[in-house]
Amino acid sequence: MGQKAREDFANELCEALLEDGRIVPGNFVYLTDIMYNPQIVSKAGVILASHFQGMDLDYIVTVETKGIPLAYEVAKSLGIELVIIRKDNKVTEGSTVTINYVSGTSGRIQQMALAKKCMKPSSKCVFIDDFLRGGGTAQGIKDLLSEFDSELVGTGVLVDNVGIQNKRTDEYVSIIDLEYDKENNKINLIYSNKLVLGIKDIEKIYNMLINSITNETLYNYNLLKYSKVTIYGNEEILSKIEVGDYEK
């Protein structure tokens, strides 16, 4: 999916999220209809998957239940297995590993469980979910995966609540950034600046910059509209490029 198509999709998604009645009691945003819309989650899955292409991943992981459709689309695009972490033990799954974690939404201690047969040791995983609030679930998954001698190497979400301070994780990407305006009881949405260029896109931009600087031609680049790009597993490229205006 090209950058223009990604932006168009994000704008359409913002319009859908701004519909009346999206804010439900407790200042939560209603996302169920969006997360179970196959046209939306398939496009979102392609966008998030493109961010993690080129990484040596073993599994996409998610927590039941609302994030499952999006996580499945990401796993399908990447051609890897989806692992679903449960909120409680299931007798049909045999022996499980269960941990306690602090929910970023409620601040309460909750549990998550994963069957021992679900994952091979020393795996690299990406967590996909619908919404990121305080980051407690992502941190919990990181702790749970460590019990399998496995690693959480990235997190991708559809919507990030950027108004929450001191999140328990900062290693994630999102498609939409949301902030709740409590005074006016409305939500503000923008296309996230934490996404959405894949590694190949970053390499292409970096090579363009290097070639232009070497040839002493064009030095002023107004590259897209992102102030920051986060690429997991490609720190070398990150250290060489910062998206923005480039001048000699």
Side-chain angles (χ1 to χ4, degrees):
M1 184 184 294
Q3 189 60 40
K4 179 62 165 57
R6 296 180 187 188
E7 291 186 9
D8 289 344
F9 168 74
N11 289 331
E12 291 172 3
L13 184 56
C14 284
E15 290 180 5
L17 289 171
L18 288 172
E19 293 173 351
D20 291 339
R22 282 287 169 191
I23 302 176
V24 298
N27 295 331
F28 295 106
V29 180
Y30 183 75
L31 289 175
T32 302
D33 59 332
I34 287 175
M35 293 306 298
Y36 290 99
N37 183 316
Q39 293 183 337
I40 292 176
V41 295
S42 62
K43 291 178 181 178
V46 169
I47 292 173
L48 289 174
S50 68
H51 184 77
F52 299 108
Q53 280 181 345
M55 299 174 62
D56 186 19
L57 299 175
D58 298 293
Y59 301 101
I60 295 297
V61 299
T62 193
V63 177
E64 61 178 3
T65 56
K66 200 159 56 178
I68 292 176
L70 179 58
Y72 172 79
E73 291 295 336
V74 175
K76 183 175 72 172
S77 294
L78 294 174
I80 59 178
E81 188 176 340
L82 171 62
V83 171
I84 299 173
I85 296 170
R86 304 289 187 183
K87 295 179 180 178
D88 51 25
N89 296 327
K90 300 292 183 182
V91 296
T92 56
E93 295 189 346
S95 299
T96 61
V97 175
T98 302
I99 68 163
N100 294 328
Y101 73 101
V102 179
S103 168
T105 299
S106 65
R108 298 176 180 175
I109 295 178
Q110 298 183 354
Q111 287 188 334
M112 60 174 65
L114 183 60
K116 291 182 177 180
K117 295 182 180 296
C118 279
M119 182 176 296
K120 61 186 180 183
S122 304
S123 297
K124 292 184 178 180
C125 308
V126 164
F127 170 46
I128 299 295
D129 207 1
D130 61 323
F131 194 87
L132 184 84
R133 187 176 175 88
T137 302
Q139 182 60 48
I141 287 177
K142 184 176 181 179
D143 295 339
L144 179 60
L145 292 178
S146 69
E147 298 292 327
F148 289 79
D149 295 321
S150 295
E151 181 183 5
L152 182 66
V153 298
T155 296
V157 297
L158 184 70
V159 180
D160 172 30
N161 188 338
V162 297
I164 301 298
Q165 303 297 319
N166 302 318
K167 291 181 187 289
R168 293 183 173 88
T169 181
D170 57 3
E171 298 179 350
Y172 65 92
V173 293
S174 58
I175 297 178
I176 300 296
D177 285 347
L178 174 149
E179 188 167 12
Y180 175 60
D181 182 351
K182 187 175 182 180
E183 182 176 346
N184 297 304
N185 192 33
K186 68 176 185 178
I187 55 177
N188 299 316
L189 301 166
I190 60 169
Y191 185 30
S192 175
N193 68 354
K194 292 183 282 296
L195 202 66
V196 185
L197 299 179
I199 290 174
K200 290 183 179 179
D201 297 317
I202 290 295
E203 289 175 338
K204 195 177 296 183
I205 294 172
Y206 171 65
N207 289 332
M208 181 182 70
L209 286 172
I210 293 301
N211 291 338
S212 296
I213 292 171
T214 301
N215 297 331
E216 295 186 355
T217 53
L218 186 61
Y219 294 100
N220 187 15
Y221 293 86
N222 186 9
L223 292 177
L224 306 178
K225 58 181 180 181
Y226 305 107
S227 60
K228 180 180 178 183
V229 174
T230 303
I231 297 295
Y232 295 110
N234 210 329
E235 295 179 358
E236 181 179 354
I237 290 178
L238 264 185
S239 67
K240 296 176 181 176
I241 182 171
E242 179 180 344
V243 176
D245 291 331
Y246 287 79
E247 297 180 357
K248 184 177 179 181

